[in-house]
Structures are given as C-alpha cells and as structure tokens.
Amino acid sequence: MLRINVGTAAGDTAVAVLRLEGQVTGPWVNELRRVCDETIGNGSDEVHPLVLDLTDVFFIDADGVALFQELAGRQVTVTNGSLFVTEQLKEVCDVSR
C-alpha cells in the first residue's frame, strides 16, 4: 500500500511536495506516476517543480525504481530516503537528505 500526501514546500508554495508512505510497488507505481504527471503538468508547456519526500517509504520494487529514474530525468527532487531506499535508488537518482 502507498499513501500519497500532497503539500507544498515550506516558504515556497510554488513547489509541490508529495510525501510518500508505504511501498512503491505493483499498482501503486502507476498511481504515483499519475499523481506526479498531474502535479508536474505532463503534456503542457508549464512545468511545476516537484519534490518527493520518501521519509516513510520502506520498499521500492523494480518498476518503482524505473519510475524514479524517469522522474529524475524530469528534474524531480527526491529527498529523505532511508539508507535502504537510498541504496535501492543509488544507480538511478540522487536522494538528498
């Protein structure tokens, strides 16, 4: 299961923050992709900054890792991953603390 909480960055309401809780696996990968596309502005000329907060994510499957790689290419910032999650993503994106 994956919970996605939508908010904004402290001090900058133009930056959307998705705080993720649970596992990025199975059908939740496509749900996260959909929410990210809506938030970023997929298909439009206007792109909105997005931060993914992984504080409460404890596992990401192969499809999830591929999604994070895709999102890194779209300039999405990934932050607050546990050591385990950071290790899972080290080859595809930079997880800031």
Side-chain angles (χ1 to χ4, degrees), residues 1-78:
M1 185 167 154
L2 179 68
R3 174 178 282 161
I4 304 171
N5 295 304
V6 181
T8 58
D12 190 353
T13 58
V15 177
V17 177
L18 300 181
R19 184 161 188 232
L20 309 180
E21 300 175 34
Q23 302 179 71
V24 183
T25 61
W28 303 112
V29 174
N30 286 330
E31 180 64 13
L32 178 58
R33 177 180 283 112
R34 183 189 65 76
V35 172
C36 288
D37 286 347
E38 287 176 2
T39 304
I40 294 170
N42 191 31
S44 70
D45 291 334
E46 186 176 355
V47 176
H48 302 282
L50 176 62
V51 174
L52 298 178
D53 182 341
L54 307 183
T55 300
D56 295 317
V57 171
F58 56 90
F59 185 75
I60 302 170
D61 70 7
D63 290 335
V65 170
L67 173 60
F68 281 98
Q69 183 173 24
E70 173 189 323
L71 293 172
R74 295 172 67 189
Q75 307 306 310
V76 171
T77 302
V78 180

